[in-house]
Amino acid sequence: MEDLETLRAEVVAAIAAAPDLAALEETRVAALGKKGRVTALMKSLGGMDPETRKAAGQQMNRVKDAIVQTIEGRRAALEAAELEARLGRERVDVTLPARPARSGAVHPISQTWDEVVAIFGQMGFAVAEGPDIEDDFHNFTALNFPPGHPAREMHDTFFLPERADGTRHVLRTHTSPVQVRTMLNQAPPIRILAPGRTYRSDSDMTHTPMFHQFEGLVLDQTTHMGHLKGCLQEFVQAYFEVDDVPMRFRPSFFPFTEPSAEVDIRCSRKGGELRIGVGDDWLEILGCGMVHPNVLRACGLDPEEVQGFAFGVGLERIAMLKYGIPDLRTFFDSDLRWLRHYGFAALDVPTLHGGLAR
Ligand code: PHE
């Protein structure tokens, strides 16, 4: 029994001296583990006679319980101390600036596309699309380009290899073939906006081999040039977000419209800064006109029955003007620095009531 008391005192002292949880665990195993000192004593009970065994057993169990409790107490104390130490060590500096979260940006082409669709959508236009690869009929013939017209031979049209029947398809040189496809497939009244890619073999500050246009077509029994002017006036003011933009219709020529006009808007270039709607310079922004009777006929419509207008606008051109982008070629360089600089927040979807661009 004296042994038992010594054992208890020694184990309790070792527990109290354990500096950390690992040392405490070692102490526990040395006492209570399979080969521990207390376990060994318990095993010795087997060799005792029943009377002695009962008394000794009770005492041993008491000692064992005391040891277990001491270990638990020490463990709780060590854990609390460890937590205390960690809290002291690991401090969060809430005054540090947040790490910037890199997010993607909407390309100025997509942004401008969405803005234009929002504006014309509000005016009741539906979006129409057509293929990038067109045949001669849709890109030229139906649009009243006569057989020998220079545009057909133009060094800046991309022709595809000759086909079995001797014809050659083209990469569409404008979005006007979508007018033709729409008139062939749908009866008037028609009110469509056709945004899309167009191609011409050209490359400098203001020309790239691929660029975007959007085409407008309105066709019914009464639409006249006054409607064309009102519609474009509305568009220009909404797009440039300026209340009043003086416009000028300059007589021009397109095979597929008659009369045809090019539209200029008022601007100022004072101090190297372009401002829309003020000043005394003019800026050309689009081509338009009344749909030519020959185009209507080519699409199976009677010019005595229907009439309307069409317009075509360069998407990059108006994006460059609105967002101050000097070189067209940079739109297609995929330079990340450029994209981050000129890009738009992905969740700022352009709407007329919410504001087109922020
Ligand atoms: N298709 C013409 C071009 O690419 C633009 C245009 C469209 C002009 C519709 C008038 C009417 O230059």
Side-chain angles (χ1 to χ4, degrees):
M1 289 312 119
E2 214 177 312
D3 280 357
L4 197 56
E5 182 47 37
T6 315
L7 174 60
R8 192 197 63 81
E10 279 177 16
V11 172
V12 166
I15 292 168
D20 54 34
L21 287 167
L24 179 65
E25 178 61 9
E26 269 175 40
T27 315
R28 187 191 67 79
V29 172
L32 304 173
K34 259 193 200 147
K35 291 176 186 153
R37 293 168 74 189
V38 177
T39 314
L41 266 183
M42 301 288 258
K43 279 182 187 157
S44 71
L45 286 173
M48 297 178 185
D49 62 85
E51 275 307 296
T52 331
R53 189 196 300 156
K54 193 177 174 202
Q58 280 174 355
Q59 267 183 315
M60 278 185 204
N61 273 329
R62 224 175 291 129
V63 167
K64 190 184 164 191
D65 288 348
I67 288 174
V68 167
Q69 264 189 13
T70 312
I71 289 174
E72 284 318 307
R74 180 71 185 149
R75 189 195 306 280
L78 283 173
E79 277 172 357
E82 208 154 274
L83 179 63
E84 213 37 54
R86 261 187 70 190
L87 288 175
R89 211 167 47 234
E90 299 172 9
R91 256 176 229 282
V92 175
D93 183 350
V94 293
T95 67
L96 281 176
R99 282 190 202 102
R102 271 273 157 81
S103 56
V106 172
H107 195 286
I109 300 273
S110 309
Q111 171 74 21
T112 307
W113 180 308
D114 289 349
E115 290 183 26
V116 169
V117 168
I119 295 167
F120 283 102
Q122 188 88 352
M123 290 194 251
F125 283 70
V127 169
E129 285 182 298
D132 290 17
I133 296 174
E134 272 295 5
D135 53 26
D136 177 273
F137 174 77
H138 292 91
N139 197 81
F140 295 126
T141 302
L143 289 165
N144 196 35
F145 285 80
H149 192 281
R152 295 175 184 266
E153 326 292 336
M154 260 191 327
H155 57 281
D156 61 1
T157 299
F158 289 112
F159 286 93
L160 274 73
E162 203 174 285
R163 294 148 56 90
D165 62 5
T167 63
R168 299 180 76 178
H169 281 20
V170 296
L171 292 182
R172 66 178 179 190
T173 56
H174 50 182
T175 40
S176 302
V178 184
Q179 287 185 31
V180 176
R181 291 184 176 274
T182 306
M183 286 186 263
L184 286 171
N185 287 312
Q186 162 188 340
I190 290 172
R191 201 184 294 177
I192 54 135
L193 181 80
R197 291 194 187 101
T198 48
Y199 305 83
R200 291 176 201 175
S201 176
D202 225 343
S203 186
D204 58 37
M205 280 267 285
T206 52
H207 297 89
T208 50
M210 189 279 295
F211 59 103
H212 298 76
Q213 285 189 337
F214 56 91
E215 186 88 5
L217 173 69
V218 175
L219 213 61
D220 53 30
Q221 279 158 357
T222 54
T223 290
H224 55 66
M225 216 148 166
H227 297 123
L228 169 61
K229 195 165 186 188
C231 171
L232 292 177
Q233 182 83 56
E234 190 77 20
F235 163 68
V236 165
Q237 285 168 191
Y239 176 72
F240 288 106
E241 298 175 90
V242 175
D243 284 341
D244 185 34
V245 181
M247 277 180 21
R248 170 171 90 173
F249 275 54
R250 230 177 339 101
S252 184
F253 175 79
F254 301 103
F256 35 90
T257 45
E258 181 60 32
S260 304
E262 260 156 332
V263 173
D264 302 336
I265 54 175
R266 269 282 186 227
C267 73
S268 145
R269 295 190 175 86
K270 279 212 189 78
E273 192 202 353
L274 178 72
R275 289 181 60 206
I276 304 289
V278 295
D280 37 42
D281 277 343
W282 291 107
L283 185 69
E284 181 194 321
I285 57 154
L286 62 90
C288 63
M290 299 303 292
V291 180
H292 196 291
N294 288 350
V295 175
L296 297 174
R297 277 187 212 105
C299 297
L301 297 170
D302 180 356
E304 300 300 322
E305 294 286 322
V306 291
Q307 60 180 43
F309 63 76
F311 56 86
V313 188
L315 198 70
E316 287 83 356
R317 175 158 175 76
I318 62 164
M320 289 166 82
L321 293 174
K322 183 166 177 180
Y323 296 115
I325 303 171
D327 188 334
L328 173 61
R329 292 167 296 195
T330 56
F331 278 85
F332 309 112
D333 281 345
S334 300
D335 183 331
L336 270 183
R337 294 164 303 176
W338 187 93
L339 292 168
R340 286 195 185 113
H341 180 75
Y342 287 110
F344 293 82
L347 295 176
D348 277 348
V349 178
T351 60
L352 287 186
H353 57 276
L356 288 179
R358 264 162 279 169

